[in-house]
Amino acid sequence: MKTFGLIGLALGAVLGSGTAAAGPLPAGWSCVGNCGSNNAADGVVTLAPGFGSYEWLSTAGSPSGAGKLPVGPTGQETNGSSAQTPTFSVNAGDKLNFYFNYITSDGAQYTEYAWAGLYSGASTFDSYLFTARTTTSGDTVPGFGLPGLGAGVTLTPATSAIIAGGPAFSPLGGSSGSCYSTGCGYTGWIQMNYTFTTAGTYSLGFGVTNALDTAFDSAFAIAGVSVNDKPIDPNPVPEPATLTLLGASLLGLGALRRRRQQG
């Protein structure tokens, strides 16, 4: 059974205060549990290369049953969080990419995990992209005993050994800066690239969960979700050419209305 060090938890709370102010997920994203976004480095979690913000999910204060694998859960899940992007349309050959970072204060036999997967539309699970899991040695991704990398997925770097130590990250709440045994730490930012083989409308789902108990929390950070290097945006800003055509159409409608009124 785990025991808590009051000094360690107090220190974690101080370290977890960080410098980044948490905000909501981007427009169109949904969340079950504890989710948010940061626009600055927070403890061990820096900004991802080339990006000024990132999204995160945390098991701290999260509800029971949330965040687990949508297909084939382990049965060890207790509480967690999940998030989902708005839908987006792709053609075969289009490329999806983003960065992710798995952060955990737990270790040893308490093998918590995170995952990312594709949904067909907004509700039907399609396939896993990857899993990440607390481990005392070797690669964190893909998580041992969990689904492996999806077909067509590549990771950079390809290896993902944990950067050991009690990770300071404010979304971990009172667990920030704490560490339970071997396996706690963070992966650092890893880039995920995936090529679609089937055209369609998809959304991205993410989850993170505690295992066996609800102590010593874990988090999952995501940055720069894009298709063909264009960010997923439920309300994209029209390009200049589109704006010009729209303006011309409105002018034409106005002229037609005036002619009708004069006739």
Side-chain angles (χ1 to χ4, degrees):
M1 182 177 180
K2 297 180 185 177
T3 58
F4 290 87
L6 295 179
I7 295 177
L9 288 177
L11 178 59
V14 172
L15 291 173
S17 62
T19 57
L25 291 176
W29 287 54
S30 62
C31 169
V32 176
N34 183 11
C35 311
S37 62
N38 282 6
N39 59 6
D42 185 344
V44 300
V45 179
T46 62
L47 292 174
F51 295 95
S53 64
Y54 55 88
E55 290 70 54
W56 54 261
L57 299 70
S58 174
T59 62
S62 62
S64 175
K68 63 184 178 182
L69 294 170
V71 176
T74 66
Q76 296 181 329
E77 299 87 354
T78 55
N79 66 310
S81 297
S82 62
Q84 195 165 343
T85 70
T87 57
F88 53 91
S89 297
V90 300
N91 296 313
D94 284 350
K95 298 184 183 300
L96 170 71
N97 57 77
F98 59 87
Y99 285 86
F100 68 91
N101 193 342
Y102 177 62
I103 309 105
T104 181
S105 65
D106 222 339
Q109 72 268 33
Y110 296 91
T111 49
E112 304 177 353
Y113 67 76
W115 59 271
L118 288 169
Y119 285 78
S120 178
S123 58
T124 303
F125 184 74
D126 181 86
S127 59
Y128 289 111
L129 294 172
F130 63 86
T131 56
R133 195 175 197 184
T134 300
T135 182
T136 57
S137 63
D139 287 335
T140 305
V141 184
F144 71 90
L146 300 179
L149 294 182
V153 171
T154 59
L155 303 179
T156 306
T159 57
S160 54
I162 204 78
I163 301 170
F169 185 47
S170 61
L172 293 176
S175 295
S176 179
S178 299
C179 176
Y180 177 79
S181 194
T182 306
C184 64
Y186 63 106
T187 60
W189 290 108
I190 298 171
Q191 187 177 36
M192 195 278 337
N193 293 281
Y194 169 74
T195 301
F196 287 93
T197 57
T198 305
T201 300
Y202 297 88
S203 59
L204 264 175
F206 306 99
V208 62
T209 182
N210 269 322
L212 297 176
D213 65 6
T214 59
F216 290 90
D217 289 297
S218 296
F220 189 42
I222 309 107
V225 177
S226 63
V227 174
N228 296 336
D229 296 324
K230 293 183 178 180
I232 294 174
D233 188 342
N235 299 298
V237 177
E239 295 181 0
T242 304
L243 289 172
T244 300
L245 289 173
L246 178 61
S249 298
L250 291 175
L251 288 173
L253 287 172
L256 179 61
R257 185 177 295 112
R258 285 193 297 272
R259 285 198 297 271
R260 287 178 176 175
Q261 290 173 346
Q262 293 170 358

